[in-house]
Amino acid sequence: MRTLAWLRICAIGGQSAAVLVCAFWMDLGIPMLPLLVGVGSLGVFAVFAAWRVNQPWPVREWETIVHVAVDTLVLGYLLYFTGGASNPFITLLLVPIALSAAALSVPAVLAVAALAGIAYVVLLRWYVPLPMPVHAGSGFSLHVVGMGVNFVITALLLGFFINRLARSVRLQQLEVQRVRERALRDEGILAIATQAAGAAHELNTPLSTMRTLLPELRREHAEDAVLGEDLQLLEDQVERCRTILREMVAFGKAQLSQEPEKVTLAAFIHGCLERFQLLRPEAELDLQLDEDAARIVLRTPPGLRHALLNLLNNAVDASAMNQSHAVMLVARRHGEWLELIVGDHGPGFAATGELSPLGQSQKQTGLGIGLALAEATAERLDGQLTATNTLDGAQMHLRLPLAVVGSNNESA
């Protein structure tokens, strides 16, 4: 429909120019008033079509056929007053058929072709002869010139608009491919989540058993200080595992309730860092939090905290490959976006000619799903997750629109 709208505007300009040239420059005795009425009627319909294209309701195929029929009828009306089928511009009736063949179904193309064919047959029998200019020596040369101009116009129209249609089809195919890949990835994440839920349910029993036995073992071996420290460490680790399982259950309930918590960005960041320090006590974190951004109130979706923790955990692993424990977290506001930047001092991402949005990490450990989970969270929140290499490592940029993650009261 948009292609037809642009084509209709070009047709109005070309038809107006053709009428004026024939009447005033070539001195042809063509009926000016009926021709201008036809061009004006097409202009009114073009205004209506432009309004229709911008409306939210979907465009049906039959509606497209109606628009093509109006264009064909107006063109036939103009050709009727300018020689009918003997006019060299009669082949412009093929343009709607070509455009329909590139975008519509077979029955629709047959309907458009039948309409153009009927118009051509009618113009073979009924038309107003095209008068010759008084100073012309031969009407054949005028016909040849008209055929040449018609050929150029047809070639430009078909080349340009069919290229636009083909480009739109390619973009739609790429979007379908991205949606399919995203669905496959989400299906894999769902399978992992299902397995994780089952594992969490099964792990609760052995963890409870260990939580009961470890204090008894410490009491039985109270005289062995070294063993007592080890048992205390195991008891802390068991308690940590139980905390993780409780958070998994709370995360699932929050997902089902669809009620995100409302906290300031500062509280959210510090809450994540407290959890991160428990998970990776060896990490040396450099936090850079803008004062203005710190007061932003977030409607924190449950997955955002885990996405940030995954990025921080990956950064620590990457820095460790270069014998470093330093990582960086930058939280700032950039226009209508919230940016969370996690930097490391590792070997960076391997670029094969061109760095992909997430590149290929040099990391050798881990399950390999941290980045996938973080990317899925970013896409679900209409955000972006990109990776860039720096002079001494790499950075992950998580950009989220404040319209999605921000509260109505953005600052507190």
Side-chain angles (χ1 to χ4, degrees), residues 49-394:
W51 170 83
R52 172 61 187 91
V53 169
N54 292 319
Q55 298 308 304
W57 56 83
V59 177
R60 307 295 182 182
E61 190 174 62
W62 64 265
E63 191 175 354
T64 306
I65 297 176
V66 171
H67 283 233
V68 174
V70 171
D71 295 329
T72 303
L73 291 176
V74 172
L75 178 60
Y77 171 84
L78 297 177
L79 290 173
Y80 169 80
F81 288 101
T82 54
S86 62
N87 191 315
F89 291 99
I90 188 67
T91 55
L92 289 177
L93 290 172
L94 296 175
V95 174
I97 301 176
L99 295 178
S100 301
L104 302 182
S105 63
V106 173
V109 175
L110 292 177
V112 172
L115 182 62
I118 292 173
Y120 186 86
V121 172
V122 170
L123 292 173
L124 281 174
R125 177 65 180 83
W126 294 280
Y127 61 90
V128 176
L130 186 66
M132 293 295 102
V134 295
H135 55 77
S138 174
F140 180 75
S141 60
L142 180 62
H143 186 80
V144 172
V145 172
M147 291 177 61
V149 174
N150 176 56
F151 176 82
V152 172
I153 294 175
T154 305
L156 291 176
L157 290 177
L158 293 180
F160 179 72
F161 287 103
I162 290 183
N163 179 265
R164 286 190 50 164
L165 286 173
R167 182 174 176 272
S168 299
V169 171
R170 287 195 298 268
L171 291 177
Q172 291 178 355
Q173 291 175 344
L174 290 175
E175 182 62 25
V176 169
Q177 182 179 356
R178 282 194 294 268
V179 171
R180 185 183 296 113
E181 292 175 354
R182 187 181 305 172
L184 291 174
R185 185 205 58 199
D186 292 345
E187 183 179 350
I189 293 175
L190 179 61
I192 294 173
T194 304
Q195 294 294 329
H201 179 72
E202 295 177 7
L203 285 174
N204 188 55
T205 300
L207 286 175
S208 298
T209 303
M210 287 187 285
R211 185 170 179 265
T212 303
L213 293 178
L214 284 173
E216 297 180 3
L217 289 175
R218 278 203 301 126
R219 286 193 298 269
E220 292 178 2
H221 301 278
E223 69 283 353
D224 192 339
V226 177
L227 181 59
E229 291 178 358
D230 292 340
L231 291 175
Q232 181 63 46
L233 177 61
L234 286 176
E235 192 174 349
D236 293 340
Q237 296 298 319
V238 168
E239 191 61 32
R240 214 173 99 190
C241 291
R242 286 172 56 84
T243 301
I244 293 173
L245 292 180
R246 286 194 295 267
E247 289 182 354
M248 289 177 60
V249 174
F251 171 76
K253 291 180 179 179
Q255 284 285 84
L256 292 176
S257 65
Q258 296 294 321
E259 295 181 359
E261 57 178 330
K262 292 185 178 181
V263 296
T264 62
L265 178 61
F268 170 73
I269 293 295
H270 290 299
C272 290
L273 295 186
E274 289 177 3
R275 170 71 185 281
F276 175 66
Q277 292 294 341
L278 291 175
L279 294 175
R280 306 299 295 267
E282 76 279 7
E284 301 172 1
L285 181 65
D286 176 22
L287 174 62
Q288 301 176 23
L289 177 61
D290 288 349
E291 294 183 2
D292 294 336
R295 294 190 294 269
I296 296 176
V297 178
L298 299 180
R299 293 177 293 134
T300 311
L304 182 58
R305 179 175 289 105
H306 290 269
L308 182 58
L309 289 174
N310 282 334
L311 295 179
L312 290 170
N313 189 58
N314 285 345
V316 174
D317 291 337
S319 295
M321 298 178 65
N322 281 349
Q323 309 303 317
S324 173
H325 298 293
V327 294
M328 176 190 68
L329 173 60
V330 178
R332 66 190 183 191
R333 176 175 183 169
H334 184 73
E336 297 302 318
W337 293 83
L338 172 64
E339 292 187 344
L340 301 175
I341 304 174
V342 178
D344 61 61
H345 297 278
F349 290 86
T352 55
E354 180 178 343
L355 189 65
S356 63
L358 290 180
Q360 290 183 342
S361 174
Q362 304 275 343
K363 179 179 170 183
Q364 301 296 328
T365 60
L367 299 178
I369 62 173
L371 287 181
L373 293 173
E375 185 184 20
T377 299
E379 290 183 354
R380 191 175 71 252
L381 300 177
D382 297 330
Q384 303 169 353
L385 180 64
T386 56
T388 57
N389 285 328
T390 60
L391 295 177
D392 58 346

